[in-house]
């Protein structure tokens, strides 16, 4: 027997369900919001939507809600399917996710298959709907009544409960103005009660236009014994077209006072949006002040401006979302509860990391441990929609050089990225192939120093300064609970040419064991390190009240070999591919990938000033002396095979 | 697949064998020493020997060697058996251990059983001997030749290799002056060669009197192809009696020049010992300077003075043995390689901790984790020989009070222990029931502050100051590899009476969540904490070059409940039992155990000055105000059941 048999690497963990989270926010009177999106129609639309999720994550939504789009093959693996988008939000964008699901006209087998897939993706929240509401539905048979089949939302609720017990939080729809197809408002309330009795745990309402309508609806629900949270669905008027479309769909009529305001400005989108924002803000304020409302469900229509403005007006948009860990966490329950350590290499490409580790059946918790054979999935497709740059190729060429004439042109791109300065095309270099989301705040701290080295061809792609016991609320280094302390070892990762690499090799022994290094070329024929290859080096850790040490970031020599392929591959896949085959520009980028070395350095002496700049200075000085003429080095071709480059004898 | 399936909680670990350790010390020219002891005859002798092992551990022996004492039932579970003593040295005293084993006159089954038991205890080193050498052995049959049986050391070597492969490091004996029973020196060398060829990995020699004898022996061994390390057995002459006895046993004659010196002083033990120390020092110096000798095996005869003096003369006695972890590690290979975390409570009773966790099949590594049901063995026998105080009861009474008249007398004992001052009986209080080895250096740092509180009845039994990133070589807080940094949270553990406990309860909420507390009475009817009971709090951690964070000490709420029984039990078992039944003194101690509370406090804000003193000051101030008269409290009787004490109404 041992005290560690439970919990550490086991799968015993309890995840707070969305239904419980909502209850606890209601109880603690801590207002929240959620965001509804519909699946995109195109692959580029999907890529753009991912960017929107990432941006809207910053405001702290309690969850994101994805509608079921029957025409879009919603249960399929298509990039644009409802299920695929919901799974991506959850796993890659780190937001708790609810998926709509309809049941009418569907077989038990199809529904079961869809639920199974949903569950396997980690989604634990379903908005159970009847479906079949369509402006053209005018006869009973068109919504497909099946004897003994799925005819109402309640049938789906019952099926989910019966098949999955408490595995899913179940949400159901409420209609403050009655269901478009229902016989009466009272009937509709009774149907809602039935759905709650069958297992529905909270209600999101269809759109409405006045606070009074919603509050009356809540009162009526409470009177017939519906006790669960009821979240108002907020529809900010954004354009006249969408307003007309939606009211037609939901068979609602637009109140006169609204029609009066809109009519004169109906072709002025900006004016309508402003009106919509003000109207929704006022209504939401009334709702929140009523004491009956603790959360708002925003129908975003896949747009962000109006929704964010309303939430900011209400003070619900978080300025400072708590970061549980220094890297971007996934919201998949298995990962969220168990994963506490990652290699530093992917910190600016968290989606790639999640993608490459999605097959793991357990995640490093507490310590990275012995990673002698971490089974990273291969990254063959650098252009997966959730990894894709949302920037067009033309724009990327204006960032990274329309035409490259020398390696020095490339060095300048790195320098511009680090400094944020405008380049020769008059644009700011806001991204590189190695950064999903621009310059990290930590790199920013080092930018003036880094720019000096990048200018000289030390092409930095990842770095963090050393810190000793700064508060966990620190704006740059902070993460985790309040009242803790964060420490870090200085870290630097960069590409350098062979000439610098030879110089660096002569310099490094002087800094052993204070500085751990790892230096490798594309095909791995050169692979130097002074680290124990089976021992990861923790470079970020946090000390919290009443907890064990949390050490979320490690430099792991084994994973570095895996990352190396990806980091070198990005030169080819993301940068060289912007230029025509056979072009000089393309050749320059490919040559860099084939001939440069990827290096990482850790200064273990974290309470002292970082010594890594001194290492680089000595490397630069030594590079003046290294006679490259005396040796020939192994070089990797674009296809990864090794060729011998004959170097000219000086 | 996951990167953590190997190594973390698995049993995949490789332990460097003693034979390899010796080889690497030889190769790196880093001289070492080992210590030979024979098993004691009595239980008190065993307890005393444990103290000797603990003291001699401080000098850094490579291993301890326990002889096989055929008359003492050497393979049995008797406290005084060779096997039991060797297992205790290894597991409880933290020293790598070799056990002698003889084979003559024994069945294969007995030998197998002994080896199996040895292996299960964690012992991995055997000195394989023929045995049967006795001054009375004068006929072939007396040493028990058995056709096809075990007749020579080589038979045992072969058997161990055949049955256990490389599980044991095998040592064999060499005879610089020939085996007492051998036909010739040359024959003897060939027998030795045979033992090495069969699997012997290093040689320890029988005693000899001059460096030349040994060096000739080594030369002769090398000439016939014996290449393994040969360690000289050093016999410091300590008394004339032991010299005569041993030379008779080994059929050696004492060289004339030694006899000449000893004869005139043979009844003057001190003079003989001094001569023996000088003689051995000189001889060892010659051996070490020869370049042929890299280690010394000391025949201690279970005495420490002469051996330590010789080793100090030679500069082999370490002044500063490396501490791999802040607590006293076990040398059992399973624990040594895998165990990296312990609760702080047992830090001054490490043997009790090892005893109570000996049944665990894996040990917390990296983090303590979820210890919802740590299966600690019960501590029923507080007087196990390796846990026993080596101090006689009379002496203990002079330390802890010959006759107690009030609780304040007890408080004084704590104060005297903390300050190191002489008490009313003219002795220093060098131990308490809660400390195996006197005051720890860390407590010493706090002694002047602690003494003030102990005097007032805050009876501290464990404490550590907070530190932020002190070097790992720090004389007080240091442990682990050089070049690392150690941090700690301030910790304090103490007994207080109910009056103080009530006051403390009113004070603590002000310090939440900065200060974690746990307060409990003997029977557990009062059990207050503000800590999450499933979350251990790491209070000591180290940051090292190229490694994950090491956090060897935690305050674990679940283990505290287990420790509580032991801590309260020690009042009764160790202290009250010193006095006669029915005596006032005994009653006072039992009353304290039944009525006091055990409290631990952690200040989580480790970079700031400790706030725990402020908490105590506020408790003392509040205790002036608390009106104890208004309530009656649950109190535990000596047998652990609850009784209600009626408190006098003021």
């Amino acid at each position: 027997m041992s005290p560690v048999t439970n919990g550490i690497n086991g799968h015993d963990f309890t995840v707070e369900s969305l239904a419980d989270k909502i209850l606890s926010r209601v109880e603690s009177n801590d207002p929240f919001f959620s965001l509804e999106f519909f699946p995109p129609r195109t692959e580029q639309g999907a890529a753009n939507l991912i960017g929107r999720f990432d941006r809207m994550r910053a405001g702290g939504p309690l969850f994101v809600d994805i509608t079921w789009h029957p025409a879009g093959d919603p249960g399929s693996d298509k990039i644009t399917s409802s299920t695929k988008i919901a799974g991506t939000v959850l796993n890659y964008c780190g937001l708790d996710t609810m998926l709509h699901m309809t049941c009418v006209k569907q077989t038990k087998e199809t529904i079961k298959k869809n639920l199974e897939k949903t569950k396997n993706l980690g989604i634990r929240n379903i908005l159970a709907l009847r479906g079949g509401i369509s402006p053209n539905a005018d006869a009973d048979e068109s919504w497909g009544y099946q004897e003994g089949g799925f005819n109402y939302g309640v049938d789906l609720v019952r099926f989910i409960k019966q098949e999955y017990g408490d595995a899913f939080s179940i949400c159901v729809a409420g209609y403050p103005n009655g269901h478009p197809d229902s016989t009466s408002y009272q009937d509709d309330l009774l149907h809602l009660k039935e759905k709650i009795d069958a297992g529905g745990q909270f209600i999101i309402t269809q759109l409405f236009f006045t606070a009074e309508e919603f509050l009356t609806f809540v009162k009526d629900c409470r009177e017939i014994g519906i006790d669960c949270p009821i979240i108002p669905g907020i529809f900010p008027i954004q354009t006249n077209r969408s307003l007309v479309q939606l009211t037609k769909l939901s068979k609602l009529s637009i109140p006169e006072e609204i029609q009066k305001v809109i009519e004169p400005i109906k072709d002025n989108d900006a004016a309508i949006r402003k009106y919509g924002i003000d109207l929704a803000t006022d209504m939401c304020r009334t709702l929140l002040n009523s004491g009956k409302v603790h959360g708002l469900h925003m129908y975003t229509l896949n747009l962000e401006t109006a929704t964010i403005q309303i939430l900011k007006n209400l003070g619900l948009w978080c300025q400072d979302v708590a970061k549980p860990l220094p890297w971007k966490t996934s919201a998949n329950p298995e990962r969220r509860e168990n994963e506490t350590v990652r290699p530093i290499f992917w910190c600016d490409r968290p989606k790639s990391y999640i993608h490459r580790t999605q097959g793991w059946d357990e995640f490093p918790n507490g310590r990275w441990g012995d990673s002698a054979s971490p089974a990273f999935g291969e990254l063959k497709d650098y252009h997966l929609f959730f990894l894709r740059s949302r920037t067009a190729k033309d724009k990327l060429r204006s960032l990274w050089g329309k035409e490259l004439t020398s390696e020095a042109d490339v060095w300048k791109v790195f320098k511009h990225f680090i400094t944020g300065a405008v380049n020769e095309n008059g644009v700011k270099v806001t991204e590189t192939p190695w950064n999903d989301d621009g310059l990290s705040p930590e790199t920013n701290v080092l930018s003036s120093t880094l720019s000096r080295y990048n200018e000289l061809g030390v092409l930095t792609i990842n770095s963090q300064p050393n810190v000793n016991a700064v508060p966990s609320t620190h704006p740059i280094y902070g993460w985790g609970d309040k009242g803790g302390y964060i420490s870090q070892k200085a870290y630097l990762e960069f590409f350098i040419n062979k000439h610098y690499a030879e110089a660096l090799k002569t310099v490094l022994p002087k800094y052993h064991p204070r500085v751990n290094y790892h230096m490798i070329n594309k095909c791995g024929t050169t692979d130097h390190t002074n680290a124990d290859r089976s021992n990861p080096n923790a470079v970020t850790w946090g000390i919290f009240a009443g907890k064990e040490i949390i050490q979320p970031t490690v430099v792991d020599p084994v994973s570095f070999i895996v990352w190396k392929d990806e980091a070198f591959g990005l030169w080819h896949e993301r940068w060289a591919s912007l230029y025509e085959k056979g072009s000089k520009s393309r050749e320059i980028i490919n040559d860099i990938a084939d001939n440069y070395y990827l290096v990482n350095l850790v200064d273990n002496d974290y309470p002292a000033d970082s010594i890594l700049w001194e290492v680089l200075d000595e490397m630069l000085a030594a590079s003046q002396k290294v006679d490259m003429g005396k040796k020939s080095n192994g070089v990797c071709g674009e296809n990864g095979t090794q060729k011998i480059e004959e170097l000219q004898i000086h």
Side-chain angles (χ1 to χ4, degrees), chain A:
Chain A
M1 286 296 290
S2 146
V4 293
T5 42
N6 278 327
I8 287 192
N9 286 327
H11 291 263
D12 299 340
F13 62 96
T14 44
V15 180
E16 195 184 13
S17 74
L18 180 56
D20 284 343
K21 271 194 244 177
I22 289 171
L23 277 177
S24 90
R25 294 288 281 259
V26 169
E27 273 163 26
S28 60
N29 206 10
D30 180 13
F32 62 89
F33 67 92
S34 50
L35 301 169
E36 181 168 319
F37 295 87
F38 51 80
R41 282 170 208 281
T42 64
E43 290 204 12
Q44 187 57 39
N48 292 342
L49 200 53
I50 299 297
R52 186 151 289 151
F53 295 139
D54 285 342
R55 286 189 296 275
M56 295 193 86
R57 178 186 186 171
L62 188 65
F63 63 96
V64 156
D65 184 31
I66 304 296
T67 62
W68 193 250
H69 184 48
D73 206 352
S76 77
D77 285 332
K78 280 185 193 161
I79 287 169
T80 53
S81 84
S82 297
T83 305
K84 184 80 174 179
I85 293 294
T88 304
V89 179
L90 180 83
N91 287 287
Y92 292 95
C93 303
L95 288 160
D96 201 357
T97 303
M98 180 156 78
L99 178 59
H100 291 209
M101 205 171 272
T102 63
C103 60
V104 80
K105 292 184 191 166
Q106 286 169 71
T107 63
K108 195 181 277 188
E109 289 65 37
T110 309
I111 289 171
K112 174 86 184 173
K113 205 186 77 198
N114 288 338
L115 284 166
E116 205 58 26
K117 182 178 251 173
T118 301
K119 184 159 173 278
N120 288 339
L121 283 168
I123 297 166
R124 292 289 178 277
N125 317 299
I126 299 284
L127 174 48
L129 294 163
R130 187 191 73 173
I133 305 167
S134 136
N136 308 317
D138 48 7
D140 261 12
E141 58 269 39
S142 85
W143 64 264
Y145 184 90
Q146 297 171 287
E147 192 61 39
F150 292 91
N151 298 307
Y152 302 98
V154 68
D155 297 328
L156 181 53
V157 174
R158 284 200 190 103
F159 184 72
I160 296 172
K161 287 303 284 183
Q162 171 199 313
E163 296 288 316
Y164 294 96
D166 295 330
F168 289 104
S169 279
I170 302 175
C171 177
V172 296
Y175 300 87
N177 294 296
H179 190 280
D181 299 339
S182 73
T183 45
S184 78
Y185 177 79
Q186 272 311 324
D187 262 14
D188 211 48
L189 277 180
L190 294 174
H191 285 315
L192 183 58
K193 176 78 163 63
E194 214 179 353
K195 289 195 281 187
I196 299 301
D197 291 345
Q201 294 165 287
F202 59 103
I203 296 164
I204 290 178
T205 73
Q206 194 46 271
L207 70 96
F208 54 88
F209 289 104
T210 67
E212 207 187 356
E213 292 170 71
F214 178 80
L215 294 171
T216 305
F217 173 69
V218 171
K219 189 167 155 281
D220 294 339
C221 286
R222 299 305 182 221
E223 268 175 11
I224 61 164
I226 297 175
D227 294 326
C228 68
I230 306 175
I231 308 170
I234 307 299
F235 171 69
I237 300 171
Q238 306 205 48
T239 62
N240 190 46
R241 193 173 46 84
S242 62
L243 175 65
V244 171
Q245 204 176 9
L246 208 70
T247 44
K248 188 176 168 197
L249 202 70
S250 50
K251 298 186 179 169
L252 289 181
S253 48
I254 304 165
E256 227 173 285
E257 60 271 28
I258 294 179
Q259 272 182 328
K260 267 189 210 162
V261 181
I262 284 185
E263 189 55 33
I265 56 168
K266 69 178 177 195
D267 297 323
N268 181 346
D269 278 3
I272 290 198
R273 191 162 62 212
K274 187 182 176 312
Y275 169 68
I277 289 170
D278 291 344
L279 191 69
T281 301
D282 283 349
M283 187 179 74
C284 291
R285 204 167 272 144
T286 306
L287 289 171
L288 291 166
N289 290 340
S290 73
K292 309 285 184 199
V293 172
H294 303 87
L296 303 173
H297 183 75
M298 307 300 296
Y299 292 108
T300 68
L301 303 183
N302 285 22
L303 299 169
E304 58 198 284
T305 317
T307 300
I308 292 175
Q309 192 55 57
I310 294 161
L311 293 168
K312 281 185 175 170
N313 291 346
L314 296 166
L316 291 183
W317 186 261
C318 292
Q319 292 311 319
D320 191 17
V321 176
K323 280 170 72 178
L325 289 165
W327 29 263
K328 292 214 179 78
T329 49
S330 168
N332 184 301
E334 180 97 11
R335 286 189 97 113
R336 194 174 65 209
E337 297 303 308
N338 290 313
E339 183 181 31
T340 62
V341 196
R342 289 186 186 174
I344 196 170
F345 317 120
W346 282 270
C347 82
D348 290 322
R349 287 177 57 75
K351 292 190 181 72
S352 166
Y353 182 77
I354 291 170
H355 174 66
R356 302 191 67 174
T357 59
Q358 63 183 343
W360 290 2
D361 54 15
E362 55 186 38
F363 294 97
N365 182 312
R367 53 178 7 209
W368 182 259
D370 176 4
S371 61
S373 51
F376 283 90
E378 283 206 45
L379 184 63
K380 284 177 181 155
D381 186 353
Y382 284 77
H383 302 281
L384 286 165
F385 79 101
F386 47 84
L387 294 180
R388 187 184 293 172
S389 170
R390 265 89 61 182
T391 312
K393 282 200 171 188
D394 260 357
K395 177 71 194 275
L396 287 177
R397 276 188 289 263
S398 78
L399 295 181
W400 301 344
K402 293 183 177 171
E403 206 183 321
L404 303 170
T405 58
S406 71
E407 291 188 8
D409 286 348
V410 176
W411 300 3
K412 266 187 229 153
V413 174
F414 279 82
K415 191 198 166 188
H416 284 133
F417 175 66
I418 295 288
T419 58
V422 165
N423 73 4
E424 71 283 1
N425 298 316
V427 292
K428 286 191 180 184
V429 181
T430 49
E431 61 180 292
T432 76
W434 300 272
N435 296 72
D436 280 0
D437 303 304
L439 206 63
S440 75
E442 296 203 36
T443 305
N444 221 359
V445 171
L446 304 171
S447 66
S448 66
T449 311
L450 289 173
S451 80
R452 191 156 51 88
Y453 293 105
N454 276 278
E455 188 164 33
L456 296 168
V458 180
L459 309 180
T460 59
I461 60 169
N462 197 349
S463 60
Q464 69 174 28
N466 58 314
V467 292
N468 179 14
V470 299
S472 59
T473 49
H474 190 283
I476 295 172
Y477 309 113
W479 48 270
D481 296 344
K482 280 182 195 170
Y485 288 96
I486 307 301
S487 298
Q488 297 185 164
K489 293 178 180 177
Y491 178 75
L492 203 54
E493 185 181 337
F494 50 85
F495 292 102
I496 44 173
N497 64 27
K498 272 192 299 195
H499 187 64
Y500 282 158
E502 290 299 328
L504 187 56
K505 267 193 258 179
T506 68
V507 165
L508 285 169
K510 183 178 149 189
Y511 296 95
H512 177 84
R514 175 168 173 176
V515 175
N516 278 119
Y517 65 87
H518 201 157
M519 190 188 302
I520 195 163
N521 66 350
K522 185 177 132 186
C523 55
T525 48
T526 299
D527 180 1
H528 300 296
T529 180
N530 68 336
D532 176 344
R533 283 179 194 264
S534 63
N535 251 336
N537 190 347
V539 292
T540 301
W541 60 98
I543 314 301
F544 296 92
K547 287 194 174 170
E548 297 199 71
I549 313 296
I550 304 180
Q551 52 147 51
T553 316
V554 297
V555 170
D556 168 47
V558 180
S559 311
F560 186 63
I561 309 291
V562 177
W563 162 246
K564 176 263 293 181
D565 289 335
E566 181 169 335
F568 278 103
L570 286 161
W571 284 106
H572 300 301
E573 300 289 340
R574 282 278 166 87
W575 199 332
S577 64
L578 294 178
Y579 310 108
E580 285 197 10
K581 275 190 185 166
S583 66
K584 171 83 177 166
S585 296
R586 188 165 189 150
E587 194 183 316
I588 286 170
I589 297 298
N590 283 337
D591 275 358
I592 287 178
D594 292 345
N595 293 294
Y596 273 42
Y597 288 74
L598 182 62
V599 181
N600 74 51
L601 302 177
V602 178
D603 180 2
N604 289 298
D605 206 355
Y606 74 101
D609 286 341
S610 168
I611 208 164
L612 300 183
W613 313 122
E614 187 184 312
V615 174
L616 291 186
D617 290 339
E618 291 227 7
M619 174 192 82
L620 294 171
S623 73
Q624 311 284 340
K625 298 174 206 153
V626 172
D627 181 8
M628 289 291 286
K630 291 197 180 141
K631 15 180 135 173
S632 68
N633 283 55
V635 185
C636 314
E638 191 172 354
N639 56 9
T641 60
Q642 195 184 357
K643 63 183 183 188
I644 301 300
E645 186 185 59
E646 288 300 327
L647 283 160
Q648 196 182 338
I649 307 288
H650 295 259

